Amino acid sequence: MSAAYFIAGTDTDVGKTTVAAGLLHAAQLAGLSTLGAKPVASGCEVTPKGLRNSDALALMAQSTVKLPYERINPFAFEPAIAPHLAAREAGVDLSVAGLLGPMREVLAQGADFTLIEGAGGWRVPLSHHANLSDLAIALKLPVILVVGVRLGCISHALLSAEAIARDGLQLAGWVANIVDPRTSRLEENLASLAERLPAPCLGRVPKLKIASAEAVAEHLQIDLLD
Ligand SMILES: Nc1ncnc2c1ncn2[C@@H]1O[C@H](COP(=O)(O)OP(=O)(O)OP(=O)(O)O)[C@@H](O)[C@H]1O
Ligand SMILES: [Mg+2]
């Protein structure tokens, strides 16, 4: 098996990294080599080694293929703002061409299971001219959609799925991440998502006390992926 997926979310903060780390852990438990990358990260800490982003570090921690930090997070910005604005403030030209090389190298490592996490929702801009979805398109990656389950998520999920399909990419699966367990009619909402999303549900992740990769992996089924 050598599979790679783009991890998208219905929004920022819906659990893309949490679920991606869980998926990478589940893959490791299945005996697969793993590699996770976060091509563009805003919201980074200044460290003596350079800017570091917690998403990228979480993905690295669940990667059996070890690469230097800069290879899995080539574009890092300090302020926790939209990437195109962070890049503009930093005077950095954020483009699909600039991301393609590093991400092709990530994919060329040939890990059995590779995940590339986006940022925010599906149509997050990189610049005036491009969106991060253009990277997924250029890499022809199938997409795993993390749905942050709360009131309003059905429309966000269906619009994301429609955009992914219109962009010519396969929705390989989706994950219900129960970010708000008090969502009214939770079961009915989950059933409505399952009826309408054209891909298998890889799992339902409850709101966990500690959302570690190990704990999240218990709720995910990677064997439902093609
Ligand atoms: N199932 C869960 N149970 C408990 N906490 C969770 C769960 N899923 C996510 N969280 C928490 O919610 C916060 C946001 O999750 P996460 O960072 O994975 O979102 P994201 O979609 O990757 O965000 P970003 O858009 O910044 O990349 C984190 O603090 C994470 O620990
Ligand atoms: Mg994240």
Side-chain angles (χ1 to χ4, degrees):
M1 176 182 182
S2 181
Y5 302 91
F6 190 89
I7 300 286
T10 45
D11 201 349
T12 187
D13 238 19
V14 294
K16 292 183 297 296
T17 306
T18 305
V19 168
L23 289 167
L24 290 168
H25 192 77
Q28 279 181 60
L29 293 178
L32 303 178
S33 60
T34 59
L35 183 52
K38 175 91 180 177
V40 183
S42 50
C44 298
E45 274 185 39
V46 180
T47 78
K49 293 180 191 164
L51 289 169
R52 292 291 183 270
N53 171 261
S54 58
D55 288 13
L57 294 172
L59 298 173
M60 279 178 88
Q62 293 302 324
S63 298
T64 63
V65 176
K66 300 297 178 191
L67 289 178
Y69 182 89
E70 290 73 14
R71 302 267 305 270
I72 68 122
N73 176 213
F75 289 87
F77 304 102
E78 190 182 352
I81 59 176
H84 70 298
L85 300 179
R88 195 171 67 190
E89 283 184 16
V92 171
D93 176 29
L94 206 47
S95 67
V96 176
L99 294 170
L100 261 180
M103 290 305 108
R104 284 201 172 121
E105 281 186 26
V106 162
L107 295 169
Q109 300 299 309
D112 297 325
F113 190 76
T114 302
L115 296 181
I116 296 182
E117 183 188 339
W122 181 248
R123 203 62 93 205
V124 71
L126 288 176
S127 67
H128 272 305
H129 321 287
N131 302 312
L132 194 46
S133 50
D134 294 320
L135 174 68
I137 294 168
L139 293 170
K140 298 188 175 67
L141 287 175
V143 179
I144 296 174
L145 180 67
V146 178
V147 178
V149 177
R150 59 184 166 220
L151 189 61
C153 72
I154 298 176
S155 178
H156 288 148
L158 299 182
L159 288 172
S160 302
E162 279 178 28
I164 290 162
R166 210 181 56 184
D167 285 346
L169 295 178
Q170 183 208 352
L171 184 66
W174 64 282
V175 174
N177 192 30
I178 318 288
V179 287
D180 182 5
R182 291 163 308 167
T183 303
S184 299
R185 312 293 184 272
L186 178 63
E187 287 305 323
E188 290 93 327
N189 275 291
L190 291 172
S192 301
L193 284 164
E195 272 169 25
R196 289 168 177 79
L197 285 170
C201 178
L202 309 178
R204 180 195 289 201
V205 182
K207 178 98 183 173
L208 297 162
K209 277 217 173 69
I210 299 171
S212 65
E214 292 80 0
V216 172
E218 286 180 22
H219 302 279
L220 297 172
Q221 275 182 279
I222 57 162
D223 53 335
L224 294 177
L225 290 165
D226 290 340

